[in-house]
Amino acid sequence: SSCDPALRPIIRRRARSLPTLPERRKRAAVQCQVPGCQSRMNRVRFADALGLELTEVKVFQTGEDPSIPLHVLSRLSINSDLWYSSLDLEFTMQCLVPDFQQPADCPDFSSRLQEQQVCLERVTSSDLGLSGTIQVRNVAFEKRVSVRYTFNQWKSLHEVCAHWHSSIPEKNGQDQVDVFTFFLPVPPFLLQLCSVVQFAARYQVNGQEYWDNNRGKNYSLTCRTHPLKMPRECEDSWIHFI
């Protein structure tokens, strides 16, 4: 025996077929034979939500030129100028630019790391904030790396923790170096000309504290106008963006 309910057959009814397209045309063309009835062929009309016509028929006389909207003419003009220009499209934007050379590109980077135990490696800026990497000597397993920064010449300060990213051997092949990453959120109102962000790296290990403050000058980035060039193959997408 089964607890499942008994299955009942599904009754399907065939729908009455609609007349074919020729038949519908033939029926629409037949006039009503009742006296006084003035029926005529059906007409289809397209309207918007307000009942206004969606289409408009314009008849042009011989020699009359159609009027083109100004926004269409302006887009055609911009596309034409870009197409015949031999130079790449260039525009400017405001962003934080480092006032120092990237430490990893300096020839004394290894010696600074040996001396300070901690050294900024590289920093990049975006519209969201600053991202960077810091190298520290692996003095002990337990360690803390952070970045202290300010937007107003150290009248007030903030500090964020850096996170371990990887371990690499030092250039001498004996010691090990840990790489930490950090991110400094920058408020949008600071992306104005001449705004300055300053920071320094802090390394705490074995009860000791080490700093990398760019030889006492701190690392600073100033908001400046930075030119950007767009290759010609991106011109169409740039116009679409505008």
Side-chain angles (χ1 to χ4, degrees), residues 140-195:
F141 178 78
E142 295 291 337
K143 58 178 68 70
R144 183 177 187 271
V145 180
S146 59
V147 176
R148 184 172 293 182
Y149 63 101
T150 180
F151 302 132
N152 53 11
Q153 301 294 330
W154 301 106
K155 296 178 182 178
S156 61
L157 55 89
H158 311 271
E159 189 164 345
V160 296
C161 292
H163 302 280
W164 181 87
H165 180 265
S166 60
S167 297
I168 58 176
E170 207 170 2
K171 288 189 176 180
N172 56 20
Q174 299 177 356
D175 300 327
Q176 192 178 37
V177 173
D178 288 334
V179 180
F180 284 75
T181 61
F182 66 91
F183 175 76
L184 306 182
V186 177
F189 64 84
L190 281 176
L191 294 180
Q192 301 176 358
L193 292 179
C194 301
S195 298

Side-chain angles (χ1 to χ4, degrees), residues 93-96 124-130 183-191:
M93 64 178 300
Q94 295 178 1
C95 60
L96 292 169
T124 58
S125 63
S126 66
D127 55 346
L128 299 178
L130 304 177
F183 175 76
L184 306 182
V186 177
F189 64 84
L190 281 176
L191 294 180

Side-chain angles (χ1 to χ4, degrees), residues 22-83:
E23 293 177 354
R24 293 200 299 269
R25 289 178 178 175
K26 183 177 180 180
R27 292 182 183 179
V30 174
Q31 301 291 332
C32 182
Q33 303 298 328
V34 179
C37 179
Q38 298 180 356
S39 62
R40 54 184 177 179
M41 295 180 62
N42 296 331
R43 300 179 61 184
V44 179
R45 175 176 172 268
F46 296 95
D48 58 9
L50 299 179
L52 302 178
E53 295 287 347
L54 291 179
T55 59
E56 180 180 356
V57 179
K58 171 66 176 177
V59 179
F60 292 95
Q61 303 296 332
T62 304
E64 182 181 358
D65 295 330
S67 59
I68 303 176
L70 292 178
H71 68 277
V72 176
L73 288 175
S74 62
R75 290 177 64 89
L76 291 174
S77 177
I78 294 175
N79 274 312
S80 177
D81 293 341
L82 291 177
W83 180 259

Side-chain angles (χ1 to χ4, degrees), residues 162-229:
H163 302 280
W164 181 87
H165 180 265
S166 60
S167 297
I168 58 176
E170 207 170 2
K171 288 189 176 180
N172 56 20
Q174 299 177 356
D175 300 327
Q176 192 178 37
V177 173
D178 288 334
V179 180
F180 284 75
T181 61
F182 66 91
F183 175 76
L184 306 182
V186 177
F189 64 84
L190 281 176
L191 294 180
Q192 301 176 358
L193 292 179
C194 301
S195 298
V196 179
V197 178
Q198 294 177 294
F199 70 92
R202 183 186 185 190
Y203 179 32
Q204 296 170 292
V205 61
N206 281 349
Q208 300 292 325
E209 187 175 85
Y210 305 95
W211 286 86
D212 177 22
N213 56 7
N214 194 21
R215 305 290 189 183
K217 298 179 294 184
N218 294 320
Y219 294 101
S220 63
L221 295 93
T222 305
C223 185
R224 295 188 176 91
T225 300
H226 187 68
L228 294 177
K229 289 187 176 181

Side-chain angles (χ1 to χ4, degrees), residues 1-6:
S1 61
S2 175
C3 296
D4 295 336

